Amino acid sequence: MVDLVGYTDSAVHLDIQSCERIKVHSLPASPKFLRTDNKWLFLILAPVKVLLQTFGLYYALGYRTAPAKWLLVQNPPTIPTLLVAQFICFIRNTRLIIDWHNFGYSILALKLGPTHPLVQFSRLFERIFSSQASAHIVVSDAMARQLKNTWHVKGSVLPLHDRPFPQFQPINEIQRWKFLAQCPETVTFAGSIRSGKMRLLVSSTSWTPDEDFSLLLDALISYSQLATTTHPGIPEILAIITGKGPQKDAFLSRIKLLEKESRLGKVQLKTAWLSSEDYATLLASADLGVSLHTSSSGVDLPMKVVDMLGAGLPVAGWDNYEAWPELVHEGINGRGFRSSAGLSHVLVDLFGSATSDLQSLRHGALLEGKRRWDDEWDPVAGKLLGLVE
């Protein structure tokens, strides 16, 4: 029996809902008045939010679930999760596994700055309450090195790279053209894409500070200028940005201004919020995926890129952090950049030349996407939990 504890703001996956051996325990969401992007209000409201989260999580783990052999907890969020998890494991004689997706203090530093006392406290909290865990599952080799060599955690550290979910699969040409002719964001441009006069670029974001979409806009402005001056033969671009989040409105306002100034003459920009199935098909239908994830810690990896590769979509991404080469191999399944000029150069290079370069990257993406969750999970987490030999 597995007890799954977490927020249920988003719909729980149907496979989980239908499994009789999984019981979902919903945590109460924080009141809306405690959610703010204001730096100063955050400092006032955060302690209240932490107290409510501490009570809700302790009650769920201590009273709504039965004692278990293992407690697997995702980090971040760090505060108060690791403290509550350690306490529950102590009183129930349960072994703690931390599933590291990033460092919580590094995400907080995006809001408050790396030298802020609360960020320093968060870093100390994270180190103390992770040090005694029985095992650590991490998303990159770079993160494993940091936990071992810098944090000196006592439990085993096991790299387990994220792999794409089953819905992210390559599609054939017939499926591609059918989708492009039906999707509201692409239907107007399906003919141009099919003829090669336009390329389809897709990027996904949660519109948070660790992704600078002004970089993409500047690159598209530069591309449009080159298309009307020194590189008149390069195709137009349809760029679709999916997702929702706090910085989306500011992005849309800037797009309107740029279109009014006619600075995106060779680029069509659309935003969309799609179902998981349509998003997966959009990725499989696109020519290139773009990731602007800059990594707050330098050792995490963006799941969106994993999904793109799973759909057979080559990726252009910000590559100025340690873990990036573990996922995207330069010139094999994607390309890297470190500035808007660098991204513009990649776009001109891939879209303006013969299609062989893009096809070569797609071949590399298809090979990378073949490795799936079971291939990664079973030899690492499966062995740790005693589920496979």
Side-chain angles (χ1 to χ4, degrees):
M1 184 71 182
V2 174
D3 289 299
L4 182 60
V5 178
Y7 295 111
T8 54
D9 298 342
S10 301
V12 178
H13 197 281
L14 290 176
D15 288 346
I16 294 176
Q17 293 184 43
S18 60
C19 183
E20 295 180 353
R21 302 188 67 181
I22 300 177
K23 186 175 182 181
V24 178
H25 304 269
S26 180
L27 291 173
S30 299
K32 288 185 177 180
F33 75 88
L34 293 177
R35 307 172 196 176
T36 179
D37 293 321
N38 183 284
K39 179 178 178 179
W40 303 110
L41 277 177
F42 173 79
L43 294 174
I44 297 172
L45 297 175
V48 180
K49 184 177 180 180
V50 167
L51 285 174
L52 291 175
Q53 290 175 330
T54 301
F55 175 78
L57 183 58
Y58 174 73
Y59 181 76
L61 292 177
Y63 293 92
R64 293 166 60 191
T65 64
K69 180 179 180 180
W70 299 98
L71 174 59
L72 175 64
V73 59
Q74 178 182 306
N75 183 69
T78 301
I79 301 174
T81 312
L82 294 185
L83 170 61
V84 177
Q86 284 281 16
F87 181 72
I88 291 294
C89 287
F90 174 75
I91 62 175
R92 286 188 162 185
N93 194 29
T94 294
R95 285 180 255 181
L96 176 64
I97 304 172
I98 302 177
D99 179 19
W100 294 83
H101 290 244
N102 203 345
F103 293 123
Y105 80 89
S106 70
I107 297 175
L108 185 61
L110 294 175
K111 182 189 290 283
L112 302 177
T115 61
H116 194 281
L118 192 55
V119 174
Q120 298 303 310
F121 168 79
S122 177
R123 187 173 189 273
L124 181 63
F125 181 101
E126 199 163 13
R127 289 191 67 167
I128 291 173
F129 289 104
S130 66
S131 62
Q132 302 299 318
S134 298
H136 306 263
I137 294 174
V138 297
V139 294
S140 72
D141 296 327
M143 184 178 287
R145 289 192 295 271
Q146 188 157 335
L147 285 177
K148 290 177 182 178
N149 302 333
T150 304
W151 288 39
H152 304 294
V153 296
K154 295 182 179 180
S156 56
V157 180
L158 307 171
L160 194 161
H161 292 84
D162 284 327
R163 306 311 303 170
F165 289 107
Q167 67 262 35
F168 294 97
Q169 299 281 352
I171 59 175
N172 59 41
E173 286 297 294
I174 295 175
Q175 292 171 311
R176 184 191 186 203
W177 301 128
K178 181 180 179 180
F179 175 80
L180 293 178
Q182 294 176 343
C183 178
E185 287 76 21
T186 62
V187 61
T188 306
F189 310 100
S192 296
I193 295 172
R194 188 163 193 169
S195 67
K197 295 179 180 179
M198 176 177 279
R199 296 289 191 182
L200 176 57
L201 179 155
V202 176
S203 187
S204 174
T205 179
S206 52
W207 303 102
T208 50
D210 63 343
E211 294 180 315
D212 183 7
F213 264 78
S214 64
L215 190 151
L216 175 60
L217 282 179
D218 291 341
L220 293 175
I221 291 169
S222 175
Y223 182 94
S224 190
Q225 290 173 340
L226 292 171
T228 55
T229 54
T230 58
H231 293 71
I234 59 178
E236 295 183 61
I237 291 177
L238 170 61
I240 299 179
I241 317 300
T242 69
K244 59 183 179 180
Q247 296 184 343
K248 183 176 180 179
D249 290 341
F251 180 79
L252 293 175
S253 297
R254 190 176 176 205
I255 290 176
K256 289 182 180 179
L257 180 61
L258 291 172
E259 290 176 340
K260 186 177 181 181
E261 296 173 347
S262 301
R263 298 178 67 188
L264 291 171
K266 296 295 182 178
V267 175
Q268 297 288 334
L269 261 168
K270 304 288 182 182
T271 59
W273 176 247
L274 304 172
S275 68
S276 59
E277 293 79 10
D278 283 347
Y279 173 63
T281 309
L282 177 66
L283 292 186
S285 302
D287 294 296
L288 185 69
V290 171
S291 170
L292 298 172
H293 179 79
T294 55
S295 180
S296 61
S297 64
V299 296
D300 71 311
L301 288 167
M303 191 66 201
K304 71 190 72 176
V305 173
V306 175
D307 295 336
M308 289 174 181
L309 295 174
L313 179 63
V315 179
W318 181 269
D319 68 351
N320 192 21
Y321 57 97
E322 185 181 354
W324 175 258
E326 296 182 32
L327 183 59
V328 177
H329 311 294
E330 185 67 22
I332 305 298
N333 58 8
R335 295 279 297 274
F337 59 84
R338 299 187 179 187
S339 65
S340 60
L343 176 54
S344 178
H345 173 76
V346 168
L347 297 178
V348 171
D349 192 33
L350 293 179
F351 292 164
S353 62
T355 58
S356 58
D357 289 347
L358 203 54
Q359 288 174 347
S360 177
L361 293 182
R362 184 174 291 278
H363 177 70
L366 288 168
L367 290 177
E368 178 68 26
K370 285 183 177 180
R371 187 169 176 83
R372 294 285 161 162
W373 260 115
D374 288 348
D375 302 318
E376 193 76 21
W377 174 269
D378 287 349
V380 180
K383 283 188 176 181
L384 173 64
L385 297 171
L387 301 176
V388 297
E389 295 183 357

